[in-house]
Amino acid sequence: MSAVCPCGSGARYEECCAPYLKGAASAPTAEALMRSRYSAFVERDWDYLNRTQIAQDNGPPTPDMVWLGLEVLATEAGGAEDKEGTVEFVARYSHQGSDAALHEVSRFQKVGGKWLYVDGTFPRPDKKPKSGRNDPCPCGSGLKFKKCCGRS
């Protein structure tokens, strides 16, 4: 397979996230795990998502979501020698004909030498845009505010 990895790294899928999803390797950093988990959502690999998180109680993901792209905004710690780290990202998706974005700051923890997803927070802009709901969202997603962080 020569397809580009859905995680947005620019690398080939078989050389990027596929070894993690197939269990042939463990993600070496928190960011690599976050990117592989995004690829698992794209590939609908629910088993991988369950294996790579601390809490197993989140319920099944929405299977009819179409994932459109991932942008990593920031990372803090989460390197090969760290025990904890965070990754801030925006994941764009389409659900029932509407495009939207998930802006999350995810926490990761290394347990038994493997990175695991702990939980995430969802930053919201402090103020609504001054000129209206049709302005670009201040989170940087590229979507209109009303379709992103301004959703009720």
Side-chain angles (χ1 to χ4, degrees):
M1 171 190 252
S2 63
V4 174
C5 192
C7 81
S9 69
R12 291 179 51 234
Y13 176 69
E14 291 298 323
E15 296 169 350
C16 190
C17 291
Y20 309 140
L21 273 66
K22 293 176 182 177
S26 294
T29 65
E31 181 178 342
L33 179 64
M34 190 281 307
R35 287 181 178 278
S36 69
R37 285 177 55 82
Y38 175 83
S39 292
F41 276 103
V42 171
E43 298 292 324
R44 302 183 187 311
D45 189 340
W46 313 139
D47 182 53
Y48 181 77
L49 293 169
N50 284 326
R51 284 193 327 265
T52 57
Q53 65 187 18
I54 288 180
Q56 300 291 315
D57 230 4
N58 297 339
T62 306
D64 57 344
M65 292 174 84
V66 176
W67 295 94
L68 305 173
L70 175 69
E71 179 183 4
V72 174
L73 303 176
T75 60
E76 185 176 319
E81 303 302 318
D82 295 317
K83 294 186 190 289
E84 296 181 343
T86 61
V87 179
E88 180 177 4
F89 65 91
V90 174
R92 289 174 187 73
Y93 64 92
S94 179
H95 182 246
Q96 298 178 344
S98 295
D99 289 350
L102 169 70
H103 182 188
E104 181 174 327
V105 177
S106 296
R107 283 191 321 130
F108 297 89
Q109 198 172 63
K110 194 183 279 186
V111 178
K114 294 185 179 183
W115 283 104
L116 297 174
Y117 171 80
V118 178
D119 60 18
T121 58
F122 307 98
R124 298 188 60 90
D126 292 337
K127 298 178 182 177
K128 292 184 179 181
K130 292 181 182 177
S131 35
R133 295 170 15 120
N134 288 321
D135 286 345
C137 191
C139 79
S141 69
L143 299 173
K144 292 182 180 179
F145 178 75
K146 68 182 179 184
K147 292 281 190 175
C148 190
C149 294
R151 295 177 89 165
S152 306

